[in-house]
Amino acid sequence: MAEVLSSLRSLMAAHSPPLDALVVPSEDYHQSEYVSARDKRREFVSGFTGSAGLALITKDEARLWTDGRYFLQAEQQLSDEWTLMRMAEDPAVDVWMAENLVEEAAVGVNPWCISADTARRWKSAFSKKHQKLVPTATDLVDEIWKNRPADEANPVVVQPLEFTGRSVAEKLYDLRGKLKASNARGIIITTLDQVAWLYNIRGSDVPYCPVVHAFALVTLQSAFLYVDRRKVSSEVNSYMDENAIEVRDYTAVSSDVALLASGQLDSPKAETVGNGTTEAEGHGVDLVWVDASSCSYALYSKLNLAKVVQQQSPLALAKALKNPVELDGLRKAHIRDGAAVVQYLVWLDKQMQDMYGASGYFLEGEADKKKKDLRTTKLTEVTVSDKLESFRASKEHFRGLSFPTISSVGPNAAIIHYGPQPETCAEVDPDKIYLFDSGAQYLDGTTDITRTVHFGVPSTHEKACYTAVLKGHIGLGNARFPNGTNGHALDILARIPLWKSGLDYRHGTGHGIGSFLFVHEGPHQISFRPSARNVPIQASMTVTDEPGYYEDGNFGIRLENVLVVNEADTKFNFGDKGYLEFEHITWAPYQRKLIDVSLLVPEEIEWLNTYHSKCKEILAPHLNENERSWLSKATEPVSVA
């Protein structure tokens, strides 16, 4: 790591102008959360493998900013050369730079890897001391990164209408209508899931995310896809032709955005446009729509800012509002996924008893130490998660995992986004809590589920914490609320049972989930973060419900289901707003022996018993006799003693 920092500092000194600091973001050219191996520049320079963070290198310091999900992980992974900066506790990176760098300092960054919003915020912070943001012509990290992974030519794949529910023509028609309504003649689409959703294509350029490295430009007359042409087969080319989408080289997006800004991208012919009007009728429609929160600073800088609509991409909400075909697919995918999770729990329960002498999933008792000592093989966080993947892989439409499985024992479970590695991971332990957060990509939907279990004797404290998390999970999932309510207002429902004991967790409570797309999908969220106020929760959205509690060095607990937002049939309708409620589509039992039933109120017990009854009914057809018997026992009703 010291050699990497030394090499970067040499390049910074040789740069014109010389750089006082270099920012290395986590994101790629599309501001993605998950990136391909060759785009993991921040991981390369810092050694920190979390999905979120930012590295700052100055002449004599190296600092890494990350959020609460990763504090413990970063402490373990960062070398002595690095200082950890805790987001929401330490000064933000722009504030720190503005206060600690010298007057007129030059701060370098690859302009493709930060958003226009970020660049604008930093420039504002820098103005006090006349510091300047310097877009580098090349990425300095790439210049020193020997053995950087190659750019693979993974094929573009068409996602069939039977799974998308809406054609490209319909989506373009709606998009052009929104452009016209905002006096825009074109839009720049940079996020990978929006490009994939709009054109009904998928790929494998990013692990766990079925997307293609591509940009899109759409005008009232034309549609363009910017992609490595090696990825486009003759069949996909024909599909693009049929949908009037012109395929251009990935690198051409830069010059074409400049053409779009000057009104020269389209043919001068007056053609019929997607919303049924002609170019002549669209006279005066002269703006370019750009989402500055996701558009790179490199592309944004090519626009005439006097002729820009700066709003959230209209595709963000359109994609989040699932159509009936997508919702049907998601429900079916979660049933298959739930069956895989139950099969895994049945297998793991047997292994823990046979290999480790554990009392198992249902009983409380000390492990048989003699049996544990005599075993010839062992189970680790990685080997058991591989087994879970194998159960999922046997299901129809499986196309891989939706994120790296969090398979964590005891203290590791307190690391919120823990990623077990074969060389360093822990062995499973019947005397410690085991948390697994996992999901899969199926052609008809993306899944994400977390369960926490114990195969020995959970402590009274562990039971109390688990039950508080479960109460919050039920409290949010049972909520009814008026239209217009945002996720910031709902977040408290999952935390109240924890707050009563002075407990909390450092992550959001819910995120949207894609239809065979990203496992984390906006624009809505359920969170304490101010951004959760931006978009109300709406019918036909999907969102997770995942409160947790993490005790450093001891254990972690999280419970997560995916929910669909539906209209609620309420007795009254105050204010004529209409009301909404949640439908659980994730199916897997909660471990009864971790629940302190005395802490549940009757309504919570009724919900738990009803959910478990549905769980057994829905999953039984997908299980063998032994698995059905196990599930029947796992879903027996609970009652207050």
Side-chain angles (χ1 to χ4, degrees), residues 510-586:
H511 56 81
I513 195 162
S515 179
F516 188 40
L517 274 173
F518 288 171
V519 72
H520 294 158
E521 180 177 86
H524 60 294
Q525 57 182 311
I526 298 176
S527 176
F528 56 87
R529 295 183 180 90
S531 56
R533 297 190 182 104
N534 297 344
V535 178
I537 304 298
Q538 299 172 44
S540 80
M541 283 179 167
T542 55
V543 67
T544 60
D545 173 3
E546 50 178 310
Y549 173 65
Y550 312 90
E551 205 160 278
D552 293 357
N554 196 0
F555 64 85
I557 296 165
R558 183 162 61 254
L559 297 172
E560 176 184 20
N561 282 3
V562 173
L563 316 175
V564 170
V565 186
N566 293 325
E567 294 180 358
D569 182 16
T570 54
K571 184 177 180 180
F572 303 105
N573 184 19
F574 183 82
D576 292 324
K577 291 182 176 181
Y579 282 70
L580 300 172
E581 63 186 1
F582 294 120
E583 168 199 351
H584 288 254
I585 63 171
T586 298

Coordinates of all heavy atoms in Angstrom, one line a residue, residues 510-586:
G510 N -34.9 0.4 4.5 CA -35.4 -0.2 3.3 C -34.9 0.4 2.0 O -34.7 1.6 2.0
H511 N -34.8 -0.4 1.0 CA -34.4 0.1 -0.3 C -35.3 -0.6 -1.4 O -35.8 -1.7 -1.1 CB -32.9 -0.2 -0.6 CG -32.6 -1.7 -0.5 ND1 -32.8 -2.6 -1.5 CD2 -32.0 -2.4 0.5 CE1 -32.4 -3.8 -1.1 NE2 -31.9 -3.7 0.1
G512 N -35.5 0.1 -2.5 CA -36.2 -0.6 -3.6 C -35.4 -1.8 -4.1 O -34.2 -1.9 -3.8
I513 N -36.0 -2.6 -4.9 CA -35.4 -3.8 -5.5 C -35.8 -3.9 -6.9 O -37.0 -3.7 -7.3 CB -35.7 -5.0 -4.6 CG1 -34.7 -6.2 -5.0 CG2 -37.1 -5.5 -4.7 CD1 -34.6 -7.2 -4.0
G514 N -34.9 -4.3 -7.8 CA -35.2 -4.3 -9.2 C -35.9 -5.6 -9.7 O -36.0 -6.6 -9.0
S515 N -36.3 -5.5 -11.0 CA -36.9 -6.6 -11.7 C -35.8 -7.2 -12.6 O -35.6 -6.8 -13.7 CB -38.1 -6.2 -12.5 OG -38.7 -7.2 -13.2
F516 N -35.1 -8.2 -12.0 CA -33.9 -8.7 -12.7 C -32.9 -7.5 -13.0 O -32.5 -7.4 -14.2 CB -34.2 -9.5 -13.9 CG -33.0 -10.3 -14.5 CD1 -32.0 -10.8 -13.7 CD2 -32.8 -10.4 -15.9 CE1 -30.9 -11.5 -14.2 CE2 -31.8 -11.0 -16.4 CZ -30.8 -11.6 -15.6
L517 N -32.7 -6.7 -12.0 CA -31.8 -5.6 -12.1 C -31.0 -5.4 -10.8 O -30.7 -6.4 -10.2 CB -32.6 -4.3 -12.5 CG -32.8 -4.1 -14.1 CD1 -33.7 -3.0 -14.4 CD2 -31.5 -4.0 -14.8
F518 N -30.8 -4.1 -10.4 CA -30.0 -3.9 -9.2 C -30.8 -4.3 -8.0 O -32.0 -4.1 -7.9 CB -29.7 -2.4 -9.1 CG -28.7 -1.9 -10.0 CD1 -28.4 -0.6 -10.2 CD2 -28.0 -2.8 -10.9 CE1 -27.4 -0.1 -11.0 CE2 -27.0 -2.3 -11.8 CZ -26.8 -1.0 -11.9
V519 N -30.1 -4.9 -7.0 CA -30.7 -5.3 -5.7 C -31.0 -4.1 -4.9 O -31.9 -4.1 -4.1 CB -29.8 -6.3 -5.0 CG1 -28.5 -5.6 -4.4 CG2 -30.6 -7.0 -3.9
H520 N -30.2 -3.0 -5.1 CA -30.5 -1.7 -4.5 C -31.1 -0.7 -5.5 O -30.3 -0.4 -6.4 CB -29.3 -1.1 -3.8 CG -28.8 -1.9 -2.6 ND1 -27.5 -1.8 -2.2 CD2 -29.4 -2.8 -1.8 CE1 -27.3 -2.6 -1.2 NE2 -28.5 -3.2 -0.9
E521 N -32.3 -0.4 -5.4 CA -32.9 0.5 -6.5 C -33.6 1.6 -5.8 O -34.4 1.5 -4.9 CB -33.9 -0.4 -7.3 CG -34.6 0.4 -8.4 CD -35.5 -0.5 -9.2 OE1 -36.7 -0.7 -8.8 OE2 -35.1 -1.1 -10.2
G522 N -33.4 2.8 -6.4 CA -34.1 4.0 -6.0 C -35.3 4.3 -6.9 O -35.7 3.4 -7.6
P523 N -35.9 5.5 -6.8 CA -35.4 6.6 -6.1 C -35.9 6.7 -4.6 O -35.4 7.5 -3.9 CB -35.9 7.8 -6.9 CG -37.3 7.3 -7.4 CD -37.0 5.8 -7.7
H524 N -36.8 5.8 -4.3 CA -37.3 5.8 -2.9 C -36.5 5.0 -2.0 O -35.7 4.2 -2.4 CB -38.8 5.3 -2.9 CG -38.8 3.8 -3.4 ND1 -38.5 3.5 -4.7 CD2 -39.1 2.7 -2.8 CE1 -38.5 2.2 -4.9 NE2 -38.9 1.6 -3.7
Q525 N -36.6 5.3 -0.7 CA -35.9 4.5 0.3 C -36.6 4.7 1.7 O -37.4 5.7 1.8 CB -34.4 4.9 0.5 CG -34.2 6.4 0.7 CD -32.8 6.8 0.8 OE1 -32.0 6.2 1.5 NE2 -32.4 7.9 0.1
I526 N -36.4 3.8 2.6 CA -36.9 4.0 4.0 C -35.7 4.2 4.8 O -34.9 3.2 5.0 CB -37.8 2.8 4.4 CG1 -39.0 2.7 3.5 CG2 -38.2 3.0 5.9 CD1 -39.9 1.5 3.8
S527 N -35.5 5.4 5.3 CA -34.2 5.7 6.0 C -34.3 7.0 6.8 O -35.2 7.8 6.6 CB -33.1 5.9 4.9 OG -31.9 6.3 5.4
F528 N -33.4 7.1 7.7 CA -33.2 8.3 8.5 C -32.5 9.4 7.7 O -32.5 10.6 8.1 CB -32.4 8.0 9.8 CG -31.0 7.4 9.5 CD1 -29.9 8.2 9.3 CD2 -30.9 6.1 9.4 CE1 -28.7 7.7 9.0 CE2 -29.6 5.5 9.2 CZ -28.5 6.3 8.9
R529 N -31.9 9.0 6.6 CA -31.2 10.0 5.8 C -32.2 11.0 5.1 O -33.3 10.7 4.7 CB -30.4 9.3 4.7 CG -29.3 8.4 5.2 CD -28.5 7.8 4.1 NE -27.4 7.0 4.7 CZ -27.6 5.7 5.0 NH1 -28.7 5.1 4.7 NH2 -26.6 5.0 5.5
P530 N -31.8 12.3 5.1 CA -32.7 13.3 4.5 C -33.2 13.0 3.1 O -34.3 13.4 2.7 CB -31.8 14.6 4.6 CG -30.8 14.4 5.7 CD -30.6 12.9 5.6
S531 N -32.3 12.3 2.3 CA -32.7 12.0 0.9 C -33.9 11.1 0.9 O -34.6 11.1 -0.2 CB -31.5 11.3 0.2 OG -31.1 10.1 0.9
A532 N -34.3 10.5 2.0 CA -35.5 9.6 2.0 C -36.8 10.4 2.0 O -37.9 9.9 1.8 CB -35.5 8.7 3.2
R533 N -36.6 11.8 2.1 CA -37.8 12.7 2.0 C -38.2 13.0 0.6 O -39.2 13.5 0.3 CB -37.5 14.0 2.8 CG -37.3 13.9 4.3 CD -37.3 15.2 4.9 NE -37.0 15.2 6.3 CZ -35.9 15.5 6.9 NH1 -34.8 15.9 6.1 NH2 -35.7 15.5 8.2
N534 N -37.3 12.7 -0.3 CA -37.4 13.2 -1.7 C -38.5 12.6 -2.5 O -39.1 13.2 -3.4 CB -36.1 13.0 -2.5 CG -34.9 13.8 -1.9 OD1 -35.2 14.7 -1.1 ND2 -33.7 13.5 -2.3
V535 N -38.8 11.3 -2.3 CA -39.8 10.6 -3.1 C -40.8 9.9 -2.2 O -40.3 9.1 -1.3 CB -39.1 9.6 -4.0 CG1 -40.1 8.8 -4.8 CG2 -38.1 10.3 -4.9
P536 N -42.1 10.1 -2.3 CA -43.0 9.4 -1.5 C -43.1 7.9 -1.9 O -42.8 7.5 -3.0 CB -44.4 10.1 -1.7 CG -44.2 10.8 -3.1 CD -42.7 11.1 -3.2
I537 N -43.5 7.1 -0.9 CA -43.7 5.7 -1.2 C -45.0 5.6 -2.0 O -46.0 6.2 -1.6 CB -43.8 4.9 0.1 CG1 -42.5 5.0 0.9 CG2 -44.0 3.4 -0.2 CD1 -41.2 4.6 0.3
Q538 N -45.0 4.8 -3.1 CA -46.2 4.7 -3.9 C -46.6 3.3 -4.3 O -45.8 2.4 -4.2 CB -45.9 5.5 -5.2 CG -45.6 7.0 -5.0 CD -45.1 7.7 -6.3 OE1 -45.6 7.5 -7.3 NE2 -44.0 8.5 -6.1
A539 N -47.9 3.1 -4.6 CA -48.4 1.8 -4.9 C -47.6 1.2 -6.1 O -47.3 1.9 -7.0 CB -49.9 1.9 -5.3
S540 N -47.3 -0.1 -6.0 CA -46.6 -0.9 -7.0 C -45.1 -0.7 -6.9 O -44.3 -1.3 -7.7 CB -47.1 -0.7 -8.4 OG -46.5 0.5 -9.0
M541 N -44.6 0.0 -5.9 CA -43.2 0.0 -5.6 C -42.8 -1.3 -4.8 O -43.7 -1.9 -4.2 CB -42.8 1.2 -4.7 CG -42.7 2.5 -5.5 SD -42.2 3.8 -4.3 CE -41.8 5.1 -5.5
T542 N -41.6 -1.6 -4.9 CA -41.0 -2.7 -4.0 C -40.1 -2.0 -3.0 O -39.4 -1.0 -3.3 CB -40.3 -3.8 -4.7 OG1 -39.2 -3.2 -5.5 CG2 -41.2 -4.5 -5.7
V543 N -40.0 -2.5 -1.8 CA -39.1 -2.0 -0.8 C -38.8 -3.1 0.2 O -39.6 -3.9 0.5 CB -39.7 -0.7 -0.1 CG1 -40.9 -1.1 0.7 CG2 -38.6 0.1 0.7
T544 N -37.5 -3.0 0.8 CA -37.2 -4.0 1.8 C -37.6 -3.4 3.2 O -37.7 -2.2 3.4 CB -35.7 -4.3 1.8 OG1 -34.9 -3.1 2.0 CG2 -35.3 -5.0 0.5
D545 N -37.7 -4.4 4.1 CA -38.0 -4.1 5.5 C -36.9 -4.8 6.3 O -37.0 -6.0 6.5 CB -39.4 -4.6 5.9 CG -39.7 -4.5 7.3 OD1 -38.9 -4.0 8.1 OD2 -40.8 -5.0 7.7
E546 N -35.8 -4.0 6.7 CA -34.7 -4.7 7.3 C -34.0 -4.0 8.5 O -32.9 -3.6 8.4 CB -33.6 -5.0 6.2 CG -33.2 -3.8 5.3 CD -32.2 -4.2 4.3 OE1 -31.2 -4.8 4.7 OE2 -32.4 -3.9 3.1
P547 N -34.7 -3.9 9.6 CA -34.0 -3.4 10.8 C -33.0 -4.4 11.3 O -33.0 -5.6 11.0 CB -35.2 -3.2 11.8 CG -36.2 -4.3 11.4 CD -36.1 -4.4 9.9
G548 N -32.1 -3.9 12.2 CA -31.1 -4.8 12.8 C -30.6 -4.2 14.1 O -31.0 -3.2 14.5
Y549 N -29.7 -5.0 14.7 CA -28.9 -4.5 15.8 C -27.6 -5.2 15.8 O -27.5 -6.4 15.6 CB -29.6 -4.8 17.1 CG -28.8 -4.5 18.3 CD1 -28.4 -3.2 18.6 CD2 -28.3 -5.5 19.2 CE1 -27.5 -2.9 19.6 CE2 -27.4 -5.2 20.2 CZ -27.1 -3.9 20.5 OH -26.2 -3.6 21.5
Y550 N -26.5 -4.5 16.1 CA -25.1 -5.0 16.0 C -24.3 -4.6 17.2 O -24.2 -3.4 17.5 CB -24.5 -4.5 14.7 CG -25.4 -4.6 13.5 CD1 -26.3 -3.6 13.2 CD2 -25.4 -5.8 12.8 CE1 -27.2 -3.7 12.1 CE2 -26.3 -5.9 11.7 CZ -27.2 -4.9 11.4 OH -28.1 -5.0 10.4
E551 N -23.8 -5.6 17.9 CA -23.0 -5.4 19.1 C -21.6 -5.7 18.8 O -21.2 -6.9 18.6 CB -23.5 -6.3 20.2 CG -23.2 -5.7 21.6 CD -24.2 -6.3 22.6 OE1 -25.3 -5.8 22.8 OE2 -23.7 -7.3 23.3
D552 N -20.7 -4.7 18.6 CA -19.3 -4.9 18.2 C -18.6 -6.0 19.0 O -18.7 -6.0 20.3 CB -18.6 -3.6 18.3 CG -19.1 -2.6 17.3 OD1 -20.0 -2.9 16.5 OD2 -18.6 -1.4 17.4
G553 N -18.0 -6.9 18.4 CA -17.2 -7.9 19.0 C -18.0 -9.1 19.6 O -17.5 -10.0 20.2
N554 N -19.3 -9.0 19.4 CA -20.2 -10.0 20.0 C -21.1 -10.7 19.0 O -21.0 -11.9 18.7 CB -21.0 -9.4 21.1 CG -21.6 -10.4 22.1 OD1 -21.5 -11.6 21.9 ND2 -22.4 -9.9 23.1
F555 N -22.1 -10.0 18.4 CA -23.0 -10.6 17.5 C -23.7 -9.5 16.7 O -23.6 -8.3 17.0 CB -24.1 -11.4 18.2 CG -25.0 -10.6 19.2 CD1 -26.1 -9.9 18.7 CD2 -24.7 -10.5 20.5 CE1 -26.9 -9.2 19.5 CE2 -25.5 -9.7 21.4 CZ -26.6 -9.1 20.9
G556 N -24.5 -9.9 15.7 CA -25.3 -9.0 14.8 C -26.6 -9.7 14.5 O -26.7 -10.9 14.4
I557 N -27.7 -8.9 14.4 CA -29.0 -9.4 14.1 C -29.6 -8.5 13.0 O -29.5 -7.3 13.1 CB -29.9 -9.4 15.4 CG1 -29.4 -10.3 16.4 CG2 -31.3 -9.7 15.0 CD1 -30.0 -10.1 17.8
R558 N -30.1 -9.2 12.0 CA -30.9 -8.4 11.0 C -32.0 -9.4 10.5 O -31.8 -10.6 10.3 CB -30.0 -7.9 9.9 CG -30.8 -7.1 8.8 CD -29.8 -6.3 7.9 NE -28.9 -7.0 7.1 CZ -27.6 -7.1 7.4 NH1 -27.1 -6.5 8.4 NH2 -26.8 -7.8 6.6
L559 N -33.2 -8.8 10.2 CA -34.3 -9.5 9.6 C -34.7 -8.7 8.4 O -35.0 -7.5 8.5 CB -35.4 -9.8 10.6 CG -35.1 -10.6 11.8 CD1 -36.2 -10.5 12.8 CD2 -34.8 -12.0 11.4
E560 N -34.9 -9.4 7.2 CA -35.2 -8.6 6.0 C -36.2 -9.4 5.1 O -36.0 -10.6 4.8 CB -33.9 -8.4 5.2 CG -34.2 -7.7 3.9 CD -32.9 -7.5 3.1 OE1 -31.9 -8.2 3.4 OE2 -32.9 -6.6 2.2
N561 N -37.2 -8.7 4.8 CA -38.2 -9.2 3.7 C -38.3 -8.2 2.7 O -38.1 -7.0 2.9 CB -39.6 -9.5 4.3 CG -39.7 -10.8 5.1 OD1 -38.7 -11.5 5.2 ND2 -40.8 -11.1 5.6
V562 N -38.7 -8.6 1.5 CA -39.1 -7.6 0.4 C -40.6 -7.5 0.5 O -41.4 -8.4 0.6 CB -38.7 -8.2 -1.0 CG1 -39.2 -7.3 -2.1 CG2 -37.1 -8.2 -1.1
L563 N -41.0 -6.2 0.3 CA -42.5 -5.8 0.4 C -42.9 -5.2 -0.9 O -42.1 -4.6 -1.6 CB -42.7 -4.8 1.5 CG -42.1 -5.1 2.9 CD1 -42.3 -3.9 3.8 CD2 -42.5 -6.4 3.5
V564 N -44.2 -5.4 -1.3 CA -44.8 -4.7 -2.4 C -45.8 -3.7 -1.8 O -46.5 -4.0 -0.8 CB -45.5 -5.6 -3.3 CG1 -46.4 -4.9 -4.3 CG2 -44.6 -6.5 -4.0
V565 N -45.8 -2.5 -2.3 CA -46.7 -1.4 -1.8 C -48.0 -1.5 -2.6 O -48.0 -1.5 -3.8 CB -46.1 0.0 -2.0 CG1 -47.0 1.0 -1.3 CG2 -44.7 0.1 -1.4
N566 N -49.1 -1.7 -1.8 CA -50.4 -1.8 -2.4 C -51.4 -0.7 -1.9 O -51.1 -0.2 -0.8 CB -51.0 -3.2 -2.1 CG -50.3 -4.3 -2.7 OD1 -49.8 -4.2 -3.8 ND2 -50.2 -5.5 -2.0
E567 N -52.4 -0.5 -2.6 CA -53.5 0.4 -2.0 C -54.2 -0.3 -0.9 O -54.4 -1.5 -1.0 CB -54.5 0.8 -3.2 CG -53.8 1.6 -4.2 CD -54.8 2.0 -5.3 OE1 -56.0 1.5 -5.3 OE2 -54.4 2.7 -6.3
A568 N -54.5 0.4 0.2 CA -55.2 -0.2 1.3 C -56.7 0.1 1.3 O -57.1 1.2 0.9 CB -54.5 0.3 2.6
D569 N -57.4 -0.9 1.7 CA -58.9 -0.7 1.8 C -59.2 -0.3 3.3 O -59.4 -1.2 4.1 CB -59.6 -2.0 1.4 CG -61.1 -1.9 1.5 OD1 -61.6 -0.7 1.5 OD2 -61.8 -2.9 1.5
T570 N -59.2 1.0 3.5 CA -59.5 1.5 4.9 C -60.9 1.9 5.1 O -61.7 2.2 4.1 CB -58.6 2.7 5.2 OG1 -58.8 3.7 4.2 CG2 -57.1 2.3 5.2
K571 N -61.4 1.8 6.3 CA -62.8 2.2 6.6 C -63.1 3.6 6.3 O -64.2 3.9 5.8 CB -63.0 1.9 8.1 CG -64.5 2.1 8.6 CD -64.7 1.8 10.0 CE -66.1 2.0 10.5 NZ -66.3 1.7 11.9
F572 N -62.1 4.5 6.6 CA -62.3 5.9 6.3 C -61.2 6.3 5.3 O -60.3 5.6 5.0 CB -62.2 6.7 7.5 CG -63.3 6.3 8.6 CD1 -62.9 5.6 9.7 CD2 -64.6 6.7 8.4 CE1 -63.8 5.2 10.6 CE2 -65.5 6.3 9.3 CZ -65.2 5.6 10.5
N573 N -61.3 7.6 4.8 CA -60.3 8.1 3.8 C -60.1 9.5 4.1 O -60.5 10.4 3.3 CB -60.8 7.8 2.4 CG -59.7 8.2 1.4 OD1 -58.6 8.4 1.7 ND2 -60.2 8.4 0.1
F574 N -59.5 9.8 5.2 CA -59.3 11.2 5.7 C -58.5 12.0 4.6 O -57.5 11.6 4.1 CB -58.5 11.3 7.0 CG -58.4 12.6 7.5 CD1 -59.4 13.2 8.3 CD2 -57.2 13.3 7.3 CE1 -59.2 14.5 8.8 CE2 -57.0 14.6 7.8 CZ -58.0 15.2 8.6
G575 N -59.1 13.2 4.2 CA -58.4 14.0 3.3 C -58.5 13.6 1.9 O -57.9 14.1 1.0
D576 N -59.2 12.5 1.6 CA -59.3 11.9 0.3 C -58.0 11.6 -0.3 O -57.8 11.7 -1.6 CB -60.2 12.8 -0.7 CG -61.6 12.9 -0.3 OD1 -62.1 11.8 0.2 OD2 -62.2 14.0 -0.4
K577 N -57.0 11.2 0.5 CA -55.7 11.0 0.0 C -55.5 9.6 -0.5 O -54.7 9.3 -1.4 CB -54.7 11.2 1.1 CG -54.5 12.6 1.6 CD -53.4 12.7 2.6 CE -53.1 14.1 3.0 NZ -52.1 14.2 4.1
G578 N -56.3 8.6 0.0 CA -56.1 7.2 -0.3 C -54.9 6.7 0.6 O -54.0 7.5 1.0
Y579 N -55.0 5.4 1.0 CA -54.0 4.9 1.9 C -53.3 3.7 1.3 O -53.8 3.0 0.4 CB -54.7 4.5 3.2 CG -55.0 5.7 4.1 CD1 -55.9 6.7 3.8 CD2 -54.2 5.9 5.3 CE1 -56.1 7.8 4.5 CE2 -54.4 7.1 6.0 CZ -55.4 8.0 5.7 OH -55.6 9.1 6.4
L580 N -52.1 3.4 1.8 CA -51.3 2.3 1.3 C -50.9 1.4 2.4 O -50.9 1.7 3.6 CB -50.0 2.9 0.7 CG -50.2 3.9 -0.4 CD1 -48.8 4.6 -0.8 CD2 -50.8 3.3 -1.7
E581 N -50.5 0.2 2.0 CA -50.1 -0.8 3.0 C -49.1 -1.7 2.3 O -48.9 -1.6 1.0 CB -51.2 -1.7 3.5 CG -52.0 -2.5 2.4 CD -53.2 -3.2 2.9 OE1 -53.5 -3.0 4.1 OE2 -53.9 -3.9 2.1
F582 N -48.4 -2.6 3.0 CA -47.4 -3.5 2.5 C -47.8 -4.9 2.4 O -48.6 -5.4 3.2 CB -46.1 -3.4 3.4 CG -45.4 -2.1 3.4 CD1 -45.3 -1.4 4.6 CD2 -44.9 -1.5 2.3 CE1 -44.6 -0.2 4.7 CE2 -44.2 -0.3 2.3 CZ -44.1 0.3 3.5
E583 N -47.3 -5.6 1.4 CA -47.5 -7.0 1.2 C -46.2 -7.7 1.2 O -45.3 -7.4 0.4 CB -48.2 -7.3 -0.2 CG -48.2 -8.7 -0.6 CD -48.5 -8.9 -2.1 OE1 -48.8 -7.9 -2.8 OE2 -48.3 -10.0 -2.6
H584 N -46.0 -8.6 2.1 CA -44.7 -9.4 2.2 C -44.7 -10.4 1.0 O -45.7 -11.1 0.8 CB -44.6 -10.1 3.5 CG -44.3 -9.3 4.7 ND1 -43.1 -9.2 5.3 CD2 -45.1 -8.4 5.4 CE1 -43.2 -8.3 6.3 NE2 -44.4 -7.9 6.4
I585 N -43.6 -10.4 0.3 CA -43.5 -11.4 -0.8 C -42.3 -12.4 -0.5 O -42.0 -13.2 -1.3 CB -43.4 -10.8 -2.2 CG1 -42.1 -9.9 -2.3 CG2 -44.6 -10.0 -2.5 CD1 -41.9 -9.5 -3.8
T586 N -41.5 -12.1 0.6 CA -40.5 -13.0 1.0 C -41.0 -14.1 1.9 O -41.8 -13.8 2.8 CB -39.4 -12.2 1.7 OG1 -38.8 -11.2 0.9 CG2 -38.2 -13.1 2.2

